[in-house]
Amino acid sequence: QVQLVESGGGLVQAGGSLRLSCAASGRTFSTYVMGWFRQAPGKEREFVASISGSGSSTVYPDSVKGRFTISRDNAKNAVYLQMDSLKPEDTAVYYCAASTKFTGLSVRFTSTYDYWGQGTQVTVSS
C-alpha cells in the first residue's frame, strides 16, 4: 500500500508561481513512476507531468511545457511540481499519482497509475 499526500496548493495571481509537493510512503519509492494530474470542475482529469524512478526522464504536455517542472528526491520519498508563469486556465485540483508496476503504458494515461493522493487546490486569479 502506498500513501500519497499533496501539499502546496493555494491562490496565486496570474504570472505567479507555486510549488506542489507530494510525500509518498513505500520502501521502493525510487522504482515508482510518478505523475501529476489536474482536474477542473466539469472536466476530465488531465495529465500534467511525469518522472521516471531515477528522475532522468520527464514528460509534459504542450499546455505546461516550459512553465512546469517535475522533480523528485528519492531520499525523501518526495516528488515536486514547480509551476511558473501560471495562467487562470491552470486552476484545478492537482493530484499526485504513483505507478508501482509500470509496464510501459503511456505515462499520460490515468490507468497507468495505481495510487493517487487526495488532491490540492490551485487557483490562479486573473
Side-chain angles (χ1 to χ4, degrees):
Q1 192 77 6
V2 175
Q3 291 185 327
L4 303 173
V5 180
E6 302 98 334
S7 61
L11 174 64
V12 64
Q13 288 188 334
S17 297
L18 279 176
R19 187 190 193 214
L20 305 184
S21 299
C22 174
S25 64
R27 295 183 177 182
T28 57
F29 176 76
S30 64
T31 68
Y32 305 162
V33 171
M34 299 298 296
W36 285 98
F37 287 74
R38 66 187 181 188
Q39 189 165 19
K43 295 188 177 181
E44 294 187 351
R45 195 164 293 192
E46 174 189 21
F47 171 70
V48 174
S50 72
I51 188 166
S52 61
S54 67
S56 62
S57 177
T58 57
V59 179
Y60 304 94
D62 288 343
S63 58
V64 308
K65 194 174 294 182
R67 300 189 299 120
F68 290 11
T69 303
I70 188 171
S71 61
R72 66 190 297 159
D73 185 338
N74 287 339
K76 295 182 178 180
N77 276 24
V79 64
Y80 309 99
L81 185 68
Q82 177 67 40
M83 305 185 294
D84 299 318
S85 302
L86 282 162
K87 304 176 181 180
E89 51 262 44
D90 294 318
T91 296
V93 176
Y94 282 70
Y95 297 91
C96 174
S99 178
T100 63
K101 301 176 182 178
F102 186 65
T103 59
L105 288 174
S106 173
V107 295
R108 301 172 186 264
F109 298 158
T110 56
S111 58
T112 296
Y113 302 86
D114 45 348
Y115 293 97
W116 294 82
Q118 82 290 349
T120 186
Q121 177 70 46
V122 171
T123 303
V124 184
S125 63
S126 56

